[in-house]
Amino acid sequence: MSQAPQLTAELHKLCGKLRDGDMTEAESQRLGEILQASGEVRRFYRTFMALASALETRTSLQASVDQEADSDKNIEVLFDLLHMEQEAEVFELPAESFVPKAQPRRSREQTLGWHEFADASGYLLKQAARSTPAKWLAAAAVIAMGIFLAVQFIGPSAPTPNPITHNTTTEPGRVGPEATTAVATLTATHDAQWTGGPAAAGLGIGDKLHPNTRLTLTAGIAEITTHRGAVAILEAPATIELLDNSNAIRLHAGKLVGICETDSSKGFVVRTPHLDVTDLGTRFGVDVSQAESSEIHVFEGEVQAAHPEAADHATPLKLNAGQSVQANEGDTALVPIDHDVQRFASLLTETLRLPGTGHGLASGQVDPNWQVVAVDGRTLATPQPLVVGGRMGHVRHHKNDPNTSQWLLWTPPAAEQQQAETVYRLQTTLELSDAAALPGARLVLSYMADNDLRAMYINGQQIVLPKMDTTDYFTKFFKASIDQHLKPGKNTVGFDLANLKLDKTPTAGSVGLRIAWELEAPRLKPTQDP
Amino acid sequence: MAEHQDQTSSFVSRIVAVQPRLRAYIRMMIFNPSDVGDILQEAVAAGWEHYADYDPARPFDAWMIGIARNRIYEYQREQKKRAHPLKQEVLELIESEADDLEETTSQIEDALESCLGKLSAEDYHLVQTRYERAETNRQTSKLLGISEPTVSRALSRIYARLLICIKQQQRSPEVQP
């Protein structure tokens, strides 16, 4: 190893100041001197700025695609890193170039302390154990065990699509002290937060749930699967307690949807202060939102319901799809009420976010999924690429979000700006899962345009969109919900845009479009017994 | 018609392939990070406009860097004096040796996720906050509730670790996950 003086710390500091746009005159002069003095320093500068560029364009889309990390292998790599830290070469400069600023060689423990190693390996273990859905697939309601939904989009920069999967009991998960008596597993969550003492601390997907522990969901949605395969979906606020029976749950307060679609799960019991519900193979909703009453709404199949204090508890009431009853405090009678599915809509449907315009890209990048294909109804010989744009903080364009959607822009050449009200067709191919074929499936669109969105086309069929308010073109999302012409697989989706000034004369500016969209669909049935 | 479709596809796939090093080039020449995206956007638009003039016998990245260089000079003229704290001759010297940029950006691309995974949870959280939720160190300091100098120092430490890790991964590819 060369004994030449090392400028590492100073070089890092100065390059860091440059990267952060915060440099004094004296610092820029010093950096200029050492850059001029050495090719090695200049090479370091290029590497440093290339790293800054890579971090600035990276999104955690990459991190969530990287869920395949093998935790054991990464720990091995960390061990190697610790060994290699001892021999790490720092950038060294010819001794004669400048006054040296000697840096003491740091010990291995200082470079990467053991506690930091533990942090890093612990982090990797957590990443491996918890199957978090990829960031761009967000489920508002969760999917029963055994269902895989994949939404794919085309393009060379597209990450490998990951299906949403949910842990079966074979997945590693955090196991509590009474591991042998666990009766259920937390199989999926969306923005869930819990309270309920030690059992609730850090609760995550794959964790086993034990009986006789009260848990309160204070935010989000959670899916619990009993070890007999019954699924209970909760929406906050809700308080539950699993019972010793491996197929029963007590709902103290809140809303729950129960799904029993496998033979082993039949007989699933939900107990509330006022109702005992036994599922005979069905989907149903139970609501204990009011302190003094409980309601049961049957969506499919059949349940048995009884008041826990009823004398004829042995002959419970049978309820079929479309029937609903209420049980009240101090009254053992079950009272028929209006059937209400809408109240449980957020637990019965699933929402899949689809990649929006410019998703995962940086400013200036071409979005390979979108093109301008026609002008005034005339198909272009060469489809035109659209580029992520819209200045950050620009007063006109609503700020981009690479994780959901960004503005895509195209500047028409002068030859295409001949007429007032020139209309441009922007087109993409949208890949939808099988859920698109289900009754009730709909594409929920949030859109902005620069500056007038005239029409939408799905697979050649026109959809009329509400007229955009001319004052809000660039700054707020308009919404539309489309339930026609959708199909599983590839859908050709086009948008007709005009680009006008307020006085309706053509403008030489860019045409822009920004779309964020989701597919809402009923929950699919599981395809197999667990 | 198919030929024109091919032209679009070929431009898009070439741009996607060179974008990291093109952006890295612009980043090292431009002082204000928020202008980098605009210049990249303009360079890509200019590249498309002149794509018919591109000679496939030439490396595409060199051609696009030439286009970006022109745009950078224009930008520097517009910015007048304080385009960059480093003197023009220093920037030109750095740029003249930038043949290594392709190799450098590839190494970073190959190693970055793995090296980020080796950071402590706190450092990773800071990187995520700085580059996904904030645009400046100041915004980061507000989001995390720590001082701006603390953010700067932490970033320097993180950059140092990442650069060492990237270099080590380049030397010992057999240990890459």
Side-chain angles (χ1 to χ4, degrees), chain A residues 105-117:
Chain A
R105 187 95 184 86
R106 297 169 84 195
S107 69
R108 187 176 76 179
E109 284 72 28
Q110 283 178 296
T111 316
L112 186 66
W114 288 110
H115 65 283
E116 289 166 302
F117 165 77

Side-chain angles (χ1 to χ4, degrees), chain B:
Chain B
M1 298 305 149
E3 187 188 318
H4 291 291
Q5 290 275 6
D6 286 345
Q7 193 181 29
T8 309
S9 302
S10 85
F11 179 79
V12 168
S13 62
R14 282 185 163 125
I15 281 291
V16 167
V18 307
Q19 188 270 342
R21 79 193 79 122
L22 187 60
R23 195 187 186 284
Y25 169 78
I26 297 170
R27 183 68 175 89
M28 78 184 191
M29 303 293 285
I30 294 293
F31 182 48
N32 189 348
S34 60
D35 289 337
V36 173
D38 290 346
I39 292 174
L40 179 63
Q41 186 180 332
E42 289 160 16
V44 169
W48 173 246
E49 198 183 323
H50 298 289
Y51 193 48
D53 303 331
Y54 165 63
D55 176 3
R58 284 186 64 195
F60 184 72
D61 56 345
W63 186 71
M64 279 305 306
I65 282 179
I67 289 177
R69 184 184 298 117
N70 288 338
R71 185 63 201 95
I72 288 168
Y73 288 158
E74 242 177 79
Y75 167 86
Q76 287 169 340
R77 278 196 294 276
E78 287 161 15
Q79 295 288 315
K80 300 213 171 70
K81 271 196 186 170
R82 292 303 290 174
H84 202 286
L86 295 177
K87 289 182 188 162
Q88 192 60 25
E89 53 263 34
V90 176
L91 285 176
E92 283 170 8
L93 191 52
I94 289 166
E95 191 202 355
S96 69
E97 298 164 350
D99 291 340
D100 58 0
L101 209 51
E102 177 180 351
E103 189 191 337
T104 303
T105 52
S106 290
Q107 285 163 12
I108 292 171
E109 256 183 287
D110 291 343
L112 184 58
E113 287 313 309
S114 161
C115 291
L116 284 167
K118 296 184 171 89
L119 294 175
S120 71
E122 289 76 20
D123 281 352
Y124 187 82
H125 180 56
L126 189 137
V127 169
Q128 264 195 314
T129 306
R130 172 63 181 82
Y131 289 106
E132 292 176 36
R133 295 173 56 201
E135 288 167 35
T136 62
N137 286 2
R138 178 167 297 176
Q139 287 173 8
T140 307
S141 71
K142 285 189 162 58
L143 286 168
L144 296 177
I146 56 178
S147 73
E148 203 178 325
T150 304
V151 172
S152 302
R153 280 195 298 274
L155 269 183
S156 286
R157 182 183 72 243
I158 289 164
Y159 265 65
R161 292 225 178 122
L162 290 174
L163 287 166
I164 289 175
C165 174
I166 288 163
K167 196 164 184 179
Q168 300 299 351
Q169 295 249 359
Q170 172 207 344
R171 281 214 196 113
S172 311
E174 68 274 8
V175 300
Q176 280 179 4

Side-chain angles (χ1 to χ4, degrees), chain A residues 244-257:
Chain A
D244 285 312
N245 177 329
S246 63
N247 210 26
I249 193 169
R250 185 179 294 281
L251 180 66
H252 290 278
K255 279 190 295 195
L256 171 154
V257 161

Side-chain angles (χ1 to χ4, degrees), chain A residues 85-167:
Chain A
E85 285 273 321
Q86 268 192 314
E87 292 145 42
E89 181 184 321
V90 294
F91 289 99
E92 292 160 353
L93 301 144
E96 64 276 13
S97 299
F98 47 77
V99 177
K101 294 196 173 189
Q103 299 292 331
R105 187 95 184 86
R106 297 169 84 195
S107 69
R108 187 176 76 179
E109 284 72 28
Q110 283 178 296
T111 316
L112 186 66
W114 288 110
H115 65 283
E116 289 166 302
F117 165 77
D119 282 346
S121 57
Y123 172 77
L124 288 166
L125 280 170
K126 278 186 203 164
Q127 290 293 95
R130 292 192 177 176
S131 173
T132 311
K135 205 171 179 183
W136 53 274
L137 291 179
V142 297
I143 307 169
M145 222 168 18
I147 296 173
F148 293 88
L149 281 182
V151 176
Q152 296 173 321
F153 62 92
I154 57 170
S157 59
T160 307
N162 283 333
I164 291 180
T165 65
H166 292 75
N167 279 324

Side-chain angles (χ1 to χ4, degrees), chain A residues 30-96:
Chain A
R30 173 67 178 159
L31 181 58
E33 278 165 15
I34 58 179
L35 282 168
Q36 209 143 21
S38 163
E40 194 62 30
V41 171
R42 292 192 291 275
R43 187 161 77 81
F44 173 85
Y45 172 82
R46 285 190 294 274
T47 306
F48 188 97
M49 299 312 277
L51 176 59
S53 183
L55 285 167
E56 285 158 8
T57 51
R58 176 188 170 273
T59 68
S60 69
L61 182 64
Q62 293 297 326
S64 52
V65 169
D66 206 22
Q67 299 286 328
E68 316 306 313
D70 179 335
S71 62
D72 286 344
K73 224 176 193 179
N74 277 305
I75 292 171
E76 187 186 343
V77 173
L78 283 170
F79 270 118
D80 287 335
L81 183 66
L82 284 176
H83 287 297
M84 285 189 276
E85 285 273 321
Q86 268 192 314
E87 292 145 42
E89 181 184 321
V90 294
F91 289 99
E92 292 160 353
L93 301 144
E96 64 276 13

